[in-house]
Amino acid sequence: MHPVTHRVSTLLLTLTAGLSLTATAAPPASAASVATWDKVAQCESGGNWSINTGNGYYGGLQINLTNWQHYGGTDYAARPDLAGKKQQILIAEKILADQGAGAWSCAANTGLSTDTADPYPEDTGPVAMIGDTGNPAAAVLGDRRAQVFLVQGNGGLATANESGGGWGSLSSFAEAGTAKSVSTAVDSKGRAVVFALQSNGGVATRTESAAGSHSFGNWSFVAEAGAAVQATAVRFADGRLGLVVVQSNGGVAVRAESTPGSGRWGAWTILTSDGVKSVTAGVEADGRIHLFALQTNGGVAETTETAPGTAAWRGWSGGFAPAGALSTSLPAAQGSSIAVAGLANGALSVVIVQSNGGVSTRYQTSPGGPWSADWGSLAPAGAAKSAALARHKDGRLSLVVVQSNGGVTSLVESTPNGPWNESWRSLAPAQAAVSVNTVLLGDGRVDALVVQSNGGVAGAAETSPGSGVYTTDWEQVAPAGAVSTS
């Protein structure tokens, strides 16, 4: 018994070329427990996860090479039978989300079409992770509940916990006059760590006392006063947390923990001494941190670690986007003009809001590989002023933008790895919002959180994990006037 569908790997290259295609209906099944996959494997291969009989199908779940390659299996091994059980299941999850249980003729009576459990719920992300930076910023804590942190109009920090599928009441996290922006990460011990860029240009941090406790220790300092105008948290592949700052002189510096989870910090490494306005981070398929710098000339330069977890960097490559492509005047309170996320196959995708208000995208043609030669257009000039990307549980990316008129719209990939659906979906009317960020809820749903034009914060979550469809019934997270809009 074998998978019956045969997707060709060339579909991976249609992200920008296929913008005119429309979405197809997603299959209902999107995940299954290890116990269910064991039942499928018992039928497909007798439960032999390393089987290769020469029939063109491999491993416990009898995945063919076309599917293995298309869904990123070669990041683990050349063939399914050469990969571990967990790795085979992770690729099978992507096939299931995209093609449905019918991809296995052995699916009947195994529960594959109805099981929705996450097979490896302890996995919160790749070995390396970018932190969440924005207003609000959030992290999923050890008890699988998200916690959101927002910078108030008076410079204080407030926080709310996920509760009953929504958000609980706000409570104070830092006093007035403390913060200009916030970034969060989860350390190697599973604890949430909050980094606050202070009003004096220093960076302070506060760490959860234990994973899932939602109780935080005292503030300590990572960067002295005057050091930074932007701060972004990352986690390196060896488990150490890192902090990337843009300095007041336009330079970029990185500092990492001396050992994972220690909270003790090593020396600063200077990546460039001038010319940068802001930095956005992503994670390569092999765990290397990749940085994209909005330059003061409106172009974008990029760099990446030389090897995962080394915190040693290759030289900057200029011209990722040419001078003048992006605006350099977007206020911090109005979000970011660069958004980065990983495609389902592990390649990175970058979306920019151009200086003329258009929205364009560029992507790696293979995980860790070269970038597409040209930018593809997602929205015309005048359409947007800031953007955020999210990856849904089924692997599809979703783009949420604040329009030039203050409305909020979303665009989703038709299938994992593209192409993009041609139809934008309105989430909020004109004049509603000034910025947007996307956060992951504990049940796997993506929540779009916007700072409203009245200074409130509201959220619109997916209707179900991986659906890519957001409710238009916004939940008020913070009241009018809570957040600065200037």
Side-chain angles (χ1 to χ4, degrees):
M1 298 292 188
H2 314 296
V4 295
T5 55
H6 302 275
R7 291 283 302 273
V8 293
S9 60
T10 52
L11 289 179
L12 298 176
L13 305 181
T14 62
L15 181 61
T16 56
L19 294 176
S20 62
L21 299 182
T22 56
T24 56
S30 61
S33 65
V34 173
T36 293
W37 285 118
D38 280 337
K39 292 177 184 177
V40 176
Q42 187 62 41
C43 174
E44 291 279 354
S45 64
N48 185 345
W49 293 89
S50 59
I51 192 170
N52 175 11
T53 64
N55 63 355
Y57 299 88
Y58 305 88
L61 300 171
Q62 292 289 277
I63 300 172
N64 62 32
L65 281 182
T66 298
N67 277 329
W68 183 253
Q69 293 164 355
H70 175 69
Y71 293 98
T74 52
D75 290 345
Y76 301 130
R79 298 193 313 265
D81 59 301
L82 301 177
K85 172 182 174 178
K86 180 176 179 178
Q87 294 168 332
Q88 292 178 51
I89 289 176
L90 290 175
I91 297 304
E93 286 276 300
K94 296 180 180 180
I95 298 171
L96 177 66
D98 194 9
Q99 301 182 20
W104 287 269
S105 52
C106 269
N109 303 317
T110 64
L112 189 62
S113 62
T114 56
D115 190 350
T116 59
D118 185 342
Y120 299 105
E122 74 278 9
D123 289 349
T124 57
V127 175
M129 295 191 297
I130 56 169
D132 186 31
T133 300
N135 194 18
V140 178
L141 277 65
D143 63 354
R144 308 301 296 171
R145 286 191 300 157
Q147 186 166 351
V148 67
F149 304 86
L150 58 90
V151 180
Q152 298 174 286
N154 64 5
L157 282 177
T159 185
N161 293 318
E162 188 182 350
S163 176
W167 296 99
S169 59
L170 285 176
S171 60
S172 177
F173 195 78
E175 63 186 14
T178 300
K180 293 196 296 184
S181 67
V182 62
S183 185
T184 65
V186 176
D187 72 6
S188 61
K189 299 179 180 179
R191 300 172 301 177
V193 184
V194 178
F195 297 85
L197 174 61
Q198 299 173 289
S199 51
N200 65 4
V203 180
T205 184
R206 195 176 177 191
T207 301
E208 198 180 10
S209 56
S213 68
H214 295 259
S215 174
F216 288 77
N218 295 325
W219 289 98
S220 60
F221 297 94
V222 187
E224 62 187 13
V229 295
Q230 186 203 24
T232 300
V234 298
R235 193 174 89 192
F236 294 104
D238 62 2
R240 292 177 302 150
L241 288 186
L243 185 68
V244 182
V245 302
V246 177
Q247 300 168 300
S248 55
N249 63 2
V252 178
V254 179
R255 193 179 188 190
E257 285 184 295
S258 54
T259 55
S262 67
R264 296 187 296 272
W265 295 83
W268 289 98
T269 298
I270 305 298
L271 301 187
T272 185
S273 58
D274 57 38
V276 174
K277 179 77 174 180
S278 64
V279 169
T280 303
V283 180
E284 292 277 2
D286 63 1
R288 290 176 297 150
I289 303 296
H290 200 125
L291 302 179
F292 301 85
L294 171 58
Q295 299 170 291
T296 52
N297 67 4
V300 177
E302 46 88 25
T303 186
T304 188
E305 290 182 279
T306 56
T310 62
W313 304 81
R314 64 165 171 78
W316 290 91
S317 296
F320 186 80
L326 284 72
S327 171
T328 60
S329 59
L330 183 69
Q334 294 187 15
S336 175
S337 55
I338 304 176
V340 183
L343 293 165
N345 71 338
L348 289 180
S349 178
V350 176
V351 171
I352 62 171
V353 177
Q354 298 168 280
S355 53
N356 66 4
V359 181
S360 296
T361 183
R362 196 175 178 192
Y363 60 98
Q364 288 178 315
T365 56
S366 61
W371 293 89
S372 55
D374 300 314
W375 289 90
S377 176
L378 297 180
K385 60 182 179 181
S386 66
L389 275 173
R391 186 162 126 186
H392 299 283
K393 196 168 183 178
D394 65 359
R396 291 179 300 153
L397 295 188
S398 183
L399 173 64
V400 184
V401 304
V402 174
Q403 298 171 290
S404 300
N405 64 5
V408 182
T409 61
S410 70
L411 189 69
V412 67
E413 285 185 301
S414 299
T415 58
N417 302 318
W420 290 90
N421 187 340
E422 67 176 2
S423 301
W424 289 85
R425 182 172 185 265
S426 177
L427 301 185
Q431 310 304 319
V434 297
S435 69
V436 62
N437 195 16
T438 54
V439 301
L440 188 67
L441 301 177
D443 63 2
R445 290 180 301 146
V446 173
D447 197 354
L449 291 175
V450 303
V451 174
Q452 298 168 292
S453 52
N454 64 5
V457 177
E462 281 186 287
T463 55
S464 60
S467 70
V469 177
Y470 299 90
T471 177
T472 53
D473 296 326
W474 290 83
E475 177 187 6
Q476 202 67 34
V477 181
V483 176
S484 172
T485 59
S486 62

